[in-house]
Amino acid sequence: MKRKLISAIGIAGMVVSIAACGGEGGSGGPDKGADAKELTVWLTVDAQNNWPELVKAADAAVKKKHPGLKINHEYYGWPDKNAKLDAVLATDKVPDVVEMGNTEMLGYMVKGAFAPLDPAEFDGSDAWLDGLKASVTYDGKTYGVPYYAGGRVANWRKDVAASVGVKTPPKTYKELTAALNKIQKKQGDKFSAWYQPTRDWYAAMSFVYDAGGAIATESGGQWKASLSSPESLKGLKEFKNVVDDYMHGDKTKDESDRYIVYGQGKSAMIFAAAWEGATAEDPKNDKSGKLKGNLENFVMPGPSGKNMPVFLGGSDLAVPVKSDAQALAAEWINAFTGSSGQKGLMAKGNLPNNKTDLATLKNDPKTAVPATAAESNWFVPMAPGWGQVEKAQILQTMLQSIGTGKKSVEAAAEEADAAIDKVINTK
């Protein structure tokens, strides 16, 4: 699905006061608002435009148990949602359910904006995807429910691969690099066998985690950056090899317009969100006229010999701590994200929030690649100061220094670790 997940950074200062307004359990405990007569649900326009029938089904299920209940829905676009949310969270008139991008959750959890939830009340919680489960968990408590997921896959041009005798997608990293070497040699240095934006930290950290490294690790309640560990350095060096060998575009760019660049026809492969290949071949973006029906997704193999662990994006649903209908809000969330809801979301092309349903998608050729890729995933450190790390673009700065050759991998990683350590434990 085409959408940009926005990191939860720069939450309005007024939200800081929220933690003192509800206390543990949101001032009313798990049964708060069980007899409420009205429920307000905020979702993004994705639900409004693509699966309104699933929203209606959840409404009907909850209203059946609570006759006379009024359910209000408001829909927001991703760019302006958080500004509106921040504004209302400073008042006493808050929504009861709010959709969050999973990278947005942490800052709000740290500030005490959301009420704790009991995972046992939600269908399939024992099988939530690891990356999504991490996104709703802070300090040992659960503050949200995974809604759906979106993963990353490799995508390449079948015609370019075939031109060097490669007829099937690679299964191993050795097969991949062998094919890319042939493509690069044939196409020349004005062509990117693999268009890999240097500042794309989602891809770079996949190499780090594949090598057994991590952005940061926790010990005794404190987080410490670990990009200078031997494992992390191994992953970063392989990422640099990719950029050096196959990326012949601007090495100061990020991934925001990757699908547009891919559509220009001067590259053979990307490692990206699953929707990007399809978007590149849209006639509006396919400036070469050669991509339509000629692109192929495949599971990205990792240098470790296993599938590359991918950053797992997606959405979560949370209950603001000031809600007067927390119990009903939890019921609605369960009705919406439960078994029937997940089947409906999968039918719309989304990945489910749990491993059980994900396994069923592996049997369908249309969904096998993203489902298989999503099985191995990672998520950002759930540290109180992570939002400050993202806001300062520490990882992007490190990667640009590495990709452009301004600094050695070791020097750039050490500098990044020092910058991360200054803020990662700060609320």
Side-chain angles (χ1 to χ4, degrees):
M1 164 163 294
K2 179 182 178 181
R3 71 175 177 85
K4 178 89 173 167
L5 295 178
I6 308 167
S7 300
I9 57 179
I11 298 173
M14 55 195 171
V15 180
V16 175
S17 64
I18 291 173
C21 297
E24 195 83 11
S27 79
D31 295 325
K32 179 182 179 183
D35 57 352
K37 302 302 181 184
E38 193 168 340
L39 193 69
T40 298
V41 178
W42 280 21
L43 299 172
T44 69
V45 292
D46 296 330
Q48 182 181 33
N49 296 335
N50 300 311
W51 45 86
E53 70 277 14
L54 302 184
V55 178
K56 291 179 181 178
D59 288 353
V62 176
K63 287 180 177 179
K64 185 176 181 180
K65 292 178 61 179
H66 302 276
L69 175 67
K70 180 181 179 182
I71 302 179
N72 307 305
H73 291 282
E74 294 185 29
Y75 296 93
Y76 294 93
W78 287 101
D80 58 1
K81 173 181 69 68
N82 285 9
K84 295 178 183 296
L85 178 61
D86 292 344
V88 300
L89 287 179
T91 73
D92 291 324
K93 183 65 175 177
V94 301
D96 304 296
V97 177
V98 60
E99 177 181 351
M100 306 292 296
N102 65 347
T103 59
E104 298 173 337
M105 284 290 294
L106 180 57
Y108 288 83
M109 294 190 293
V110 169
K111 299 299 184 185
F114 298 143
L117 301 173
D118 180 0
E121 295 182 1
F122 300 96
D123 297 344
S125 60
D126 57 341
W128 283 344
L129 297 176
D130 295 339
L132 293 187
K133 182 178 179 179
S135 75
V136 299
T137 306
Y138 178 69
D139 201 20
K141 296 180 181 179
T142 300
Y143 291 93
V145 175
Y147 172 10
Y148 66 91
R152 281 164 168 71
V153 298
N155 179 285
W156 76 356
R157 287 177 56 177
K158 293 185 288 185
D159 61 333
V160 176
S163 73
V164 294
V166 180
K167 303 295 180 63
T168 58
K171 301 294 185 184
T172 68
Y173 193 71
K174 184 176 180 179
E175 290 178 357
L176 172 63
T177 55
L180 292 176
N181 289 339
K182 293 178 182 177
I183 291 170
Q184 194 64 67
K185 182 177 180 180
K186 178 172 182 176
Q187 297 289 338
D189 60 11
K190 296 187 181 300
F191 186 90
S192 293
W194 176 347
Y195 180 75
Q196 179 51 64
T198 309
R199 292 172 63 89
D200 177 11
W201 64 276
Y202 297 109
M205 294 306 106
S206 286
F207 280 89
V208 166
Y209 283 92
D210 179 71
I215 300 170
T217 57
E218 182 186 18
S219 178
Q222 289 290 300
W223 288 83
K224 185 170 180 56
S226 57
L227 293 168
S228 295
S229 72
E231 295 84 1
S232 295
L233 289 175
K234 181 179 180 181
L236 288 172
K237 287 177 180 179
E238 186 54 40
F239 180 75
K240 176 174 171 54
N241 288 340
V242 167
V243 173
D244 287 349
D245 294 344
Y246 309 122
M247 169 60 176
H248 296 283
D250 182 350
K251 294 187 179 181
T252 66
K253 287 179 64 65
D254 64 16
E255 72 282 4
S256 59
D257 64 349
R258 172 171 42 211
Y259 67 94
I260 295 175
V261 176
Y262 196 32
Q264 293 171 353
K266 296 180 181 179
S267 49
M269 173 185 149
I270 57 174
F271 173 39
W275 56 264
E276 292 189 52
T279 306
E281 72 174 15
D282 185 292
K284 296 193 300 290
N285 299 313
D286 181 9
K287 303 305 180 183
S288 70
K290 298 177 180 179
L291 302 188
K292 187 65 175 177
N294 199 26
L295 298 182
E296 184 174 29
N297 282 336
F298 59 93
V299 178
M300 181 69 186
S304 69
K306 300 178 181 179
N307 291 341
M308 183 78 87
V310 299
F311 175 81
L312 202 59
S315 277
D316 301 321
L317 298 174
V319 179
V321 73
K322 289 185 177 181
S323 166
D324 291 324
Q326 291 179 19
L328 280 179
E331 282 190 43
W332 190 91
I333 290 173
N334 191 45
F336 189 52
T337 63
S339 178
S340 61
Q342 291 302 309
K343 287 181 172 57
L345 288 166
M346 289 190 292
K348 295 292 184 177
N350 300 293
L351 295 178
N353 67 2
N354 66 89
K355 299 172 185 176
T356 305
D357 286 327
L358 187 70
T360 66
L361 296 181
K362 293 173 63 179
N363 299 322
D364 184 343
K366 294 180 181 178
T367 54
V369 168
T372 301
E375 285 185 313
S376 178
N377 55 77
W378 62 273
F379 199 64
V380 299
M382 296 302 283
W386 176 252
Q388 296 182 58
V389 176
E390 286 204 39
K391 185 176 183 179
Q393 298 194 356
I394 295 171
L395 297 180
Q396 293 95 320
T397 299
M398 173 191 70
L399 293 171
Q400 183 169 325
S401 293
I402 290 172
T404 58
K406 182 178 179 181
K407 291 180 179 157
S408 69
V409 173
E410 290 84 358
E414 287 178 9
E415 184 176 279
D417 277 351
I420 291 171
D421 284 338
K422 287 180 180 178
V423 298
I424 196 167
N425 291 296
T426 305
K427 289 188 177 182

Short mmCIF file of all heavy atoms in Angstrom, two decimals, residues 347-382:
data_model
loop_
_atom_site.label_atom_id
_atom_site.label_comp_id
_atom_site.label_asym_id
_atom_site.label_seq_id
_atom_site.Cartn_x
_atom_site.Cartn_y
_atom_site.Cartn_z
N ALA A 347 -7.71 -9.48 2.23
CA ALA A 347 -8.37 -9.48 0.92
C ALA A 347 -8.14 -8.17 0.18
O ALA A 347 -8.22 -8.12 -1.05
CB ALA A 347 -9.87 -9.72 1.10
N LYS A 348 -7.80 -7.12 0.93
CA LYS A 348 -7.54 -5.80 0.33
C LYS A 348 -6.06 -5.61 0.00
O LYS A 348 -5.64 -4.54 -0.42
CB LYS A 348 -7.99 -4.70 1.28
CG LYS A 348 -9.49 -4.67 1.53
CD LYS A 348 -10.26 -4.26 0.29
CE LYS A 348 -11.75 -4.14 0.58
NZ LYS A 348 -12.51 -3.66 -0.60
N GLY A 349 -5.25 -6.65 0.23
CA GLY A 349 -3.84 -6.57 -0.13
C GLY A 349 -2.90 -6.21 1.00
O GLY A 349 -1.71 -5.99 0.77
N ASN A 350 -3.42 -6.15 2.23
CA ASN A 350 -2.56 -5.85 3.37
C ASN A 350 -1.99 -7.13 3.98
O ASN A 350 -2.55 -8.22 3.82
CB ASN A 350 -3.37 -5.13 4.45
CG ASN A 350 -3.94 -3.82 3.96
OD1 ASN A 350 -3.22 -2.89 3.68
ND2 ASN A 350 -5.26 -3.76 3.84
N LEU A 351 -0.91 -6.99 4.72
CA LEU A 351 -0.42 -8.09 5.52
C LEU A 351 -1.12 -8.05 6.88
O LEU A 351 -1.36 -6.97 7.41
CB LEU A 351 1.09 -7.98 5.72
CG LEU A 351 1.95 -8.11 4.47
CD1 LEU A 351 3.42 -7.92 4.82
CD2 LEU A 351 1.74 -9.46 3.80
N PRO A 352 -1.44 -9.20 7.44
CA PRO A 352 -2.16 -9.23 8.72
C PRO A 352 -1.25 -8.86 9.88
O PRO A 352 -0.03 -8.74 9.73
CB PRO A 352 -2.62 -10.69 8.81
CG PRO A 352 -1.54 -11.45 8.09
CD PRO A 352 -1.16 -10.56 6.93
N ASN A 353 -1.86 -8.71 11.07
CA ASN A 353 -1.08 -8.32 12.24
C ASN A 353 -0.48 -9.51 12.98
O ASN A 353 0.20 -9.32 13.99
CB ASN A 353 -1.94 -7.49 13.20
CG ASN A 353 -3.07 -8.29 13.84
OD1 ASN A 353 -3.21 -9.49 13.62
ND2 ASN A 353 -3.88 -7.61 14.64
N ASN A 354 -0.72 -10.73 12.49
CA ASN A 354 -0.28 -11.91 13.25
C ASN A 354 0.33 -12.98 12.35
O ASN A 354 0.06 -13.05 11.15
CB ASN A 354 -1.47 -12.48 14.03
CG ASN A 354 -2.54 -13.05 13.12
OD1 ASN A 354 -2.52 -14.22 12.75
ND2 ASN A 354 -3.49 -12.21 12.72
N LYS A 355 1.14 -13.82 12.98
CA LYS A 355 1.89 -14.86 12.27
C LYS A 355 0.99 -15.96 11.73
O LYS A 355 1.28 -16.56 10.68
CB LYS A 355 2.94 -15.46 13.20
CG LYS A 355 3.96 -14.46 13.70
CD LYS A 355 4.87 -15.06 14.77
CE LYS A 355 5.80 -14.03 15.35
NZ LYS A 355 6.61 -14.57 16.47
N THR A 356 -0.11 -16.26 12.42
CA THR A 356 -1.00 -17.33 12.00
C THR A 356 -1.62 -17.03 10.65
O THR A 356 -1.59 -17.85 9.72
CB THR A 356 -2.11 -17.56 13.04
OG1 THR A 356 -1.51 -17.79 14.32
CG2 THR A 356 -2.98 -18.74 12.66
N ASP A 357 -2.19 -15.83 10.51
CA ASP A 357 -2.78 -15.44 9.23
C ASP A 357 -1.71 -15.22 8.17
O ASP A 357 -1.93 -15.50 6.99
CB ASP A 357 -3.62 -14.17 9.39
CG ASP A 357 -4.93 -14.42 10.12
OD1 ASP A 357 -5.49 -15.51 9.95
OD2 ASP A 357 -5.38 -13.52 10.86
N LEU A 358 -0.56 -14.70 8.58
CA LEU A 358 0.52 -14.47 7.63
C LEU A 358 0.93 -15.77 6.94
O LEU A 358 1.21 -15.79 5.74
CB LEU A 358 1.72 -13.85 8.33
CG LEU A 358 2.87 -13.39 7.44
CD1 LEU A 358 2.46 -12.17 6.61
CD2 LEU A 358 4.11 -13.07 8.26
N ALA A 359 0.96 -16.86 7.71
CA ALA A 359 1.37 -18.15 7.15
C ALA A 359 0.44 -18.59 6.02
O ALA A 359 0.88 -19.22 5.06
CB ALA A 359 1.40 -19.20 8.26
N THR A 360 -0.85 -18.24 6.11
CA THR A 360 -1.78 -18.65 5.06
C THR A 360 -1.50 -17.94 3.74
O THR A 360 -1.78 -18.48 2.67
CB THR A 360 -3.24 -18.38 5.48
OG1 THR A 360 -3.46 -16.96 5.59
CG2 THR A 360 -3.55 -19.01 6.83
N LEU A 361 -0.94 -16.73 3.79
CA LEU A 361 -0.65 -15.98 2.58
C LEU A 361 0.52 -16.56 1.80
O LEU A 361 0.67 -16.29 0.61
CB LEU A 361 -0.37 -14.52 2.92
CG LEU A 361 -1.51 -13.71 3.53
CD1 LEU A 361 -1.07 -12.28 3.79
CD2 LEU A 361 -2.74 -13.73 2.62
N LYS A 362 1.34 -17.34 2.47
CA LYS A 362 2.50 -17.92 1.79
C LYS A 362 2.09 -18.97 0.77
O LYS A 362 2.88 -19.33 -0.10
CB LYS A 362 3.44 -18.54 2.82
CG LYS A 362 4.11 -17.52 3.74
CD LYS A 362 4.90 -18.18 4.84
CE LYS A 362 6.04 -19.01 4.29
NZ LYS A 362 6.83 -19.64 5.37
N ASN A 363 0.87 -19.46 0.85
CA ASN A 363 0.39 -20.49 -0.07
C ASN A 363 -0.19 -19.92 -1.36
O ASN A 363 -0.49 -20.66 -2.28
CB ASN A 363 -0.67 -21.36 0.63
CG ASN A 363 -0.12 -22.07 1.85
OD1 ASN A 363 1.02 -22.53 1.85
ND2 ASN A 363 -0.92 -22.16 2.90
N ASP A 364 -0.35 -18.61 -1.40
CA ASP A 364 -0.91 -17.96 -2.58
C ASP A 364 0.21 -17.26 -3.34
O ASP A 364 0.89 -16.39 -2.78
CB ASP A 364 -1.97 -16.94 -2.15
CG ASP A 364 -2.69 -16.30 -3.33
OD1 ASP A 364 -2.18 -16.37 -4.47
OD2 ASP A 364 -3.76 -15.71 -3.11
N PRO A 365 0.44 -17.62 -4.61
CA PRO A 365 1.53 -16.99 -5.38
C PRO A 365 1.45 -15.47 -5.41
O PRO A 365 2.48 -14.80 -5.51
CB PRO A 365 1.33 -17.57 -6.78
CG PRO A 365 0.65 -18.88 -6.56
CD PRO A 365 -0.27 -18.65 -5.40
N LYS A 366 0.24 -14.91 -5.30
CA LYS A 366 0.09 -13.46 -5.36
C LYS A 366 0.61 -12.77 -4.09
O LYS A 366 0.97 -11.59 -4.13
CB LYS A 366 -1.39 -13.10 -5.57
CG LYS A 366 -1.95 -13.55 -6.91
CD LYS A 366 -3.41 -13.15 -7.02
CE LYS A 366 -4.00 -13.61 -8.35
NZ LYS A 366 -5.45 -13.27 -8.45
N THR A 367 0.62 -13.49 -2.99
CA THR A 367 0.99 -12.88 -1.72
C THR A 367 2.18 -13.55 -1.06
O THR A 367 2.62 -13.13 0.02
CB THR A 367 -0.20 -12.92 -0.74
OG1 THR A 367 -0.67 -14.28 -0.62
CG2 THR A 367 -1.33 -12.04 -1.23
N ALA A 368 2.71 -14.60 -1.69
CA ALA A 368 3.78 -15.38 -1.05
C ALA A 368 5.03 -14.55 -0.78
O ALA A 368 5.66 -14.69 0.27
CB ALA A 368 4.13 -16.58 -1.93
N VAL A 369 5.40 -13.67 -1.71
CA VAL A 369 6.65 -12.91 -1.54
C VAL A 369 6.58 -11.95 -0.35
O VAL A 369 7.41 -12.02 0.56
CB VAL A 369 7.02 -12.16 -2.84
CG1 VAL A 369 8.14 -11.15 -2.57
CG2 VAL A 369 7.47 -13.17 -3.90
N PRO A 370 5.60 -11.02 -0.29
CA PRO A 370 5.57 -10.12 0.87
C PRO A 370 5.33 -10.84 2.19
O PRO A 370 5.87 -10.43 3.22
CB PRO A 370 4.44 -9.14 0.54
CG PRO A 370 3.62 -9.81 -0.51
CD PRO A 370 4.56 -10.67 -1.28
N ALA A 371 4.55 -11.91 2.15
CA ALA A 371 4.29 -12.66 3.39
C ALA A 371 5.54 -13.35 3.89
O ALA A 371 5.85 -13.33 5.09
CB ALA A 371 3.18 -13.69 3.16
N THR A 372 6.29 -13.95 2.98
CA THR A 372 7.53 -14.62 3.37
C THR A 372 8.56 -13.61 3.86
O THR A 372 9.25 -13.83 4.85
CB THR A 372 8.10 -15.42 2.19
OG1 THR A 372 7.13 -16.40 1.77
CG2 THR A 372 9.38 -16.15 2.58
N ALA A 373 8.65 -12.49 3.15
CA ALA A 373 9.62 -11.46 3.53
C ALA A 373 9.33 -10.92 4.93
O ALA A 373 10.25 -10.64 5.71
CB ALA A 373 9.61 -10.33 2.51
N ALA A 374 8.05 -10.77 5.25
CA ALA A 374 7.67 -10.17 6.53
C ALA A 374 7.92 -11.08 7.73
O ALA A 374 7.92 -10.60 8.86
CB ALA A 374 6.19 -9.78 6.50
N GLU A 375 8.15 -12.35 7.48
CA GLU A 375 8.38 -13.26 8.59
C GLU A 375 9.64 -12.91 9.38
O GLU A 375 9.71 -13.11 10.59
CB GLU A 375 8.50 -14.71 8.08
CG GLU A 375 7.19 -15.33 7.68
CD GLU A 375 7.34 -16.79 7.30
OE1 GLU A 375 8.27 -17.11 6.52
OE2 GLU A 375 6.56 -17.61 7.77
N SER A 376 10.65 -12.39 8.68
CA SER A 376 11.88 -11.98 9.34
C SER A 376 11.90 -10.45 9.37
O SER A 376 12.01 -9.81 8.33
CB SER A 376 13.10 -12.50 8.57
OG SER A 376 14.30 -12.07 9.18
N ASN A 377 11.74 -9.88 10.56
CA ASN A 377 11.59 -8.43 10.62
C ASN A 377 12.29 -7.84 11.84
O ASN A 377 12.66 -8.54 12.77
CB ASN A 377 10.10 -8.05 10.62
CG ASN A 377 9.32 -8.73 11.73
OD1 ASN A 377 9.39 -8.34 12.89
ND2 ASN A 377 8.56 -9.77 11.38
N TRP A 378 12.47 -6.53 11.81
CA TRP A 378 13.08 -5.80 12.92
C TRP A 378 12.32 -4.50 13.12
O TRP A 378 11.56 -4.07 12.27
CB TRP A 378 14.57 -5.51 12.64
CG TRP A 378 14.84 -4.64 11.45
CD1 TRP A 378 14.98 -5.04 10.15
CD2 TRP A 378 14.96 -3.21 11.44
NE1 TRP A 378 15.19 -3.97 9.33
CE2 TRP A 378 15.19 -2.83 10.09
CE3 TRP A 378 14.91 -2.23 12.42
CZ2 TRP A 378 15.36 -1.49 9.72
CZ3 TRP A 378 15.08 -0.90 12.05
CH2 TRP A 378 15.31 -0.56 10.70
N PHE A 379 12.55 -3.89 14.28
CA PHE A 379 11.91 -2.62 14.57
C PHE A 379 12.89 -1.73 15.31
O PHE A 379 13.92 -2.19 15.80
CB PHE A 379 10.63 -2.82 15.39
CG PHE A 379 9.69 -1.64 15.33
CD1 PHE A 379 9.10 -1.28 14.13
CD2 PHE A 379 9.42 -0.88 16.45
CE1 PHE A 379 8.27 -0.17 14.05
CE2 PHE A 379 8.59 0.22 16.39
CZ PHE A 379 8.00 0.58 15.19
N VAL A 380 12.58 -0.46 15.39
CA VAL A 380 13.47 0.50 16.02
C VAL A 380 13.59 0.23 17.52
O VAL A 380 12.70 -0.37 18.11
CB VAL A 380 12.98 1.94 15.79
CG1 VAL A 380 12.94 2.26 14.31
CG2 VAL A 380 11.62 2.17 16.44
N PRO A 381 14.68 0.68 18.15
CA PRO A 381 14.79 0.53 19.61
C PRO A 381 13.65 1.28 20.31
O PRO A 381 13.40 2.45 20.02
CB PRO A 381 16.14 1.18 19.92
CG PRO A 381 16.91 1.14 18.64
CD PRO A 381 15.87 1.30 17.56
N MET A 382 12.96 0.60 21.22
CA MET A 382 11.86 1.24 21.92
C MET A 382 12.39 1.95 23.15
O MET A 382 12.06 1.64 24.30
CB MET A 382 10.79 0.21 22.27
CG MET A 382 10.14 -0.41 21.04
SD MET A 382 9.36 0.83 19.95
CE MET A 382 7.87 1.18 20.88
#
